[in-house]
Amino acid sequence: MRTLAILALLAVLVAAATSYESHESMESHEYLNPFLNRRRANDFIQADTRLRGITQERIRERSKAPQEYQRELCEDYYPCEMYAFRHGYAAAYKHYFGGRRRTK
């Protein structure tokens, strides 16, 4: 009986210690209003910049600059590529593909 009383008193003390609200927890704004405003709900979540970068890279691959297109065309034609090593890709493209059209 005496052990039961001591255990009951100990249980009451533990319950009182764990349910105590400190002053710091009362200062928090979540204590008064636990829900966020809709406009502020996603403020703490940052957009995934890695996915945005991958998307931008795919867009750049689809739309190439004219100079890039000309360089690739010149690289596929061996004499143009050799000329480009000496004089540059712009001059090589102009020399081999610019001006009048050549027919075979």
Side-chain angles (χ1 to χ4, degrees):
M1 185 70 142
R2 186 172 175 206
T3 308
L4 185 61
I6 292 174
L7 286 175
L9 181 63
L10 187 59
V12 169
L13 288 174
V14 168
T18 57
S19 65
Y20 173 72
E21 290 286 332
S22 66
H23 180 67
E24 289 83 20
S25 67
M26 302 278 278
E27 289 177 350
S28 173
H29 67 279
E30 288 100 9
Y31 179 74
L32 299 174
N33 188 8
F35 300 106
L36 292 174
N37 183 356
R38 271 188 207 164
R39 295 180 185 196
R40 293 195 51 210
N42 291 329
D43 285 349
F44 60 92
I45 297 176
Q46 298 295 324
D48 192 2
T49 56
R50 183 176 51 91
L51 289 177
R52 190 176 350 176
I54 291 171
T55 304
Q56 290 296 326
E57 182 65 28
R58 297 293 174 246
I59 290 171
R60 275 186 243 119
E61 284 178 0
R62 274 188 255 140
S63 58
K64 293 180 182 176
Q67 293 85 3
E68 182 68 22
Y69 176 73
Q70 291 173 0
R71 182 181 177 130
E72 288 179 359
L73 190 62
C74 190
E75 285 175 348
D76 290 339
Y77 186 54
Y78 185 73
C80 183
E81 187 176 19
M82 290 297 111
Y83 191 89
F85 285 145
R86 189 166 185 88
H87 302 285
Y89 279 100
Y93 181 82
K94 189 174 182 182
H95 179 74
Y96 283 99
F97 300 106
R100 59 183 168 78
R101 288 283 183 203
R102 297 180 181 179
T103 58
K104 290 186 179 181

